Amino acid sequence: MKKHTFKFLMALSACALLFVGCKKEEAPKEEKKTEQTTEKKEKIETKDNVNPLTGEPMDTEQAKKRPLAIMIGNTKVALPQYGTEAADVIYECPVEGGETRMMALYQDYSNLDRIGSVRSCRLYFPEFANEFNAIYAHYGQAAYAEPFLDSGEVDNLNGLEAVGNKVYYRTSDRKAPHNAFTSTDGINAGIKQMKYGTELEEGYGTPFPFAKDEKAVELTDGQDAAVVVPGYPVCKPWFVYNKESGTYDRFEYGGAHKDAATGNQLSVKNILIQCCVWQYEPDNKYLRINTTSGGEGYYITGGKAIPVTWKKDGNRTHYYTKDGNEITMNQGKTWVCVVQDSNADKIAFYSSEEDYKSAGSKTP
């Protein structure tokens, strides 16, 4: 009995050694499989649970939606604006006569009864909108933008076309053309009529390179930028850094820039100043801003500013430090000031509001 037991134990030990040996040989394969699975999971979580316009956490279904880009009037008679506080990104570009016009981008535009006033586009606005795969809403356009709008390259909701009757409405508290507005329901009705897709493509990611949750961007080598002046001659806007919130509060036309619907001042985490080559269109009236040639500019966040260069690679604009590295931006809302390169000398930064005041500028 003991002899059989000994033989059994010896056999069992041999099997165990064989099993261990086999397991050791297969271990690297199992480890590699685990690493691949983890990496894939992290990529899915990053894409699905992050607002692509701000880098901040967001409901998965909403994060997968295509954003909306809407033209917003910014002349003095067009103020106050509605629905601008809900925007994640705002592009401000020069138009005729030194005035500016805004394109507000929304990842979530739900529950908005009044957005606008909605104005016409220039060619460079839908070119910027295309970088975000956005559905583009506008009320008319300069003739030079028509070929691009009609090309099928950008899904757009034009107030001058048949779909405009569903998307936009006029109010009696403003004079035309500053009384055209839209809403969540109007935009959704227009998208449905035009049969536009509403889902972002797989692997779309974020247009801006945002910092991870635990790593805030600090421009330690940047110049002081407690006040930022982009240099537009008519609305004369400026941004003031709010240390408590870590954001920049927006001012223009001598006072706080507010959303009429909420009464709140517009505020953003990041400011990008993008200097662009420009010319007049053949009519010598409308501006043509070159969105592809590359150029210089600034990235501003946390009370500091650094010079950057920008270039368009494929369908997206990338911003680089003087060392040639692509910038990383803080999570949050962004204001992009597109400046004619010939007006770059009007861009200014001040280390304090006192310095700004002493320079003779208007302050709140």
Side-chain angles (χ1 to χ4, degrees):
M1 183 71 177
K2 289 182 179 180
K3 188 175 180 180
H4 288 296
T5 302
F6 176 77
K7 289 182 177 181
F8 173 77
L9 291 173
M10 289 294 291
L12 185 63
S13 298
C15 290
L17 287 171
L18 180 63
F19 175 75
V20 171
C22 293
K23 185 176 181 181
K24 186 175 181 181
E25 290 177 358
E26 294 177 355
K29 184 177 181 181
E30 291 295 326
E31 184 179 353
K32 185 176 181 181
K33 183 178 180 181
T34 302
E35 288 176 353
Q36 291 175 343
T37 303
T38 303
E39 182 181 3
K40 185 177 181 181
K41 182 179 179 182
E42 287 176 352
K43 286 182 178 179
I44 292 174
E45 288 178 351
T46 299
K47 174 172 65 67
D48 289 353
N49 302 308
V50 170
N51 181 337
L53 302 184
T54 67
E56 297 171 313
M58 179 178 244
D59 173 76
T60 299
E61 292 305 312
Q62 192 63 51
K64 291 180 179 180
K65 298 291 186 182
R66 292 177 65 189
L68 171 70
I70 303 183
M71 293 303 305
I72 305 287
N74 195 43
T75 56
K76 197 168 185 178
V77 294
L79 300 181
Q81 299 151 339
Y82 287 79
T84 45
E85 186 185 12
D88 295 309
V89 178
I90 290 180
Y91 272 77
E92 183 174 17
C93 303
V95 289
E96 300 71 48
E99 294 180 333
T100 65
R101 193 159 292 181
M102 292 161 41
M103 182 181 76
L105 284 140
Y106 304 78
Q107 188 62 33
D108 182 1
Y109 58 92
S110 59
N111 302 315
L112 295 176
D113 296 326
R114 185 171 178 175
I115 312 171
S117 61
V118 183
R119 295 301 310 274
S120 63
C121 86
R122 306 295 178 264
L123 175 57
Y124 37 98
F125 285 107
E127 287 179 338
F128 283 128
N130 246 16
E131 295 191 30
F132 299 85
N133 192 23
I135 295 171
Y136 180 65
H138 60 108
Y139 209 107
Q141 65 283 319
Y144 304 101
E146 290 180 1
F148 184 69
L149 293 170
D150 294 340
S151 68
E153 292 188 49
V154 55
D155 292 341
N156 66 102
L157 301 171
N158 190 349
L160 295 183
E161 296 181 354
V163 70
N165 294 327
K166 284 190 175 182
V167 179
Y168 306 99
Y169 64 90
R170 296 277 185 180
T171 64
S172 59
D173 59 349
R174 304 275 181 92
K175 292 183 178 180
H178 310 291
N179 64 343
F181 293 86
T182 188
S183 64
T184 299
D185 291 343
I187 292 294
N188 288 337
I191 291 173
K192 183 177 180 180
Q193 179 172 317
M194 297 300 292
K195 298 180 180 179
Y196 291 146
T198 58
E199 298 288 323
L200 286 170
E201 295 179 0
E202 187 73 19
Y204 174 77
T206 58
F208 297 127
F210 291 109
K212 296 185 181 299
D213 292 342
E214 68 280 4
K215 295 183 179 180
V217 175
E218 295 182 1
L219 305 179
T220 54
D221 296 331
Q223 70 182 100
D224 290 337
V227 179
V228 179
V229 179
Y232 299 127
V234 177
C235 62
K236 296 181 178 179
W238 71 99
F239 299 84
V240 177
Y241 183 59
N242 186 326
K243 290 184 179 180
E244 292 185 6
S245 62
T247 59
Y248 279 91
D249 298 328
R250 161 83 177 194
F251 300 83
E252 67 172 7
Y253 293 109
H257 192 168
K258 296 182 178 181
D259 183 327
T262 65
N264 296 330
Q265 185 172 8
L266 303 186
S267 182
V268 295
K269 192 75 173 183
N270 307 292
I271 302 171
L272 283 167
I273 297 180
Q274 184 174 336
C275 298
C276 296
V277 175
W278 70 282
Q279 64 186 40
Y280 283 109
E281 296 284 13
D283 64 359
N284 207 35
K285 174 184 176 183
Y286 290 107
L287 296 184
R288 176 66 177 103
I289 302 294
N290 191 318
T291 65
T292 61
S293 63
E296 299 180 343
Y298 296 91
Y299 171 52
I300 305 106
T301 193
K304 297 282 187 177
I306 60 170
V308 298
T309 57
W310 67 271
K311 68 177 182 179
K312 197 164 186 176
D313 183 10
N315 194 39
R316 282 185 178 169
T317 300
H318 300 270
Y319 303 85
Y320 301 92
T321 66
K322 61 182 180 181
D323 298 325
N325 298 316
E326 186 168 14
I327 65 170
T328 300
M329 294 169 52
N330 275 315
Q331 294 180 15
K333 297 184 178 186
T334 300
W335 199 295
V336 183
C337 294
V338 174
V339 176
Q340 294 161 267
D341 61 345
S342 56
N343 291 335
D345 59 342
K346 296 180 174 61
I347 300 167
F349 307 100
Y350 298 89
S351 59
S352 67
E353 288 190 78
E354 288 70 25
D355 288 345
Y356 177 58
K357 292 176 182 178
S358 65
S361 303
K362 293 181 179 180
T363 53

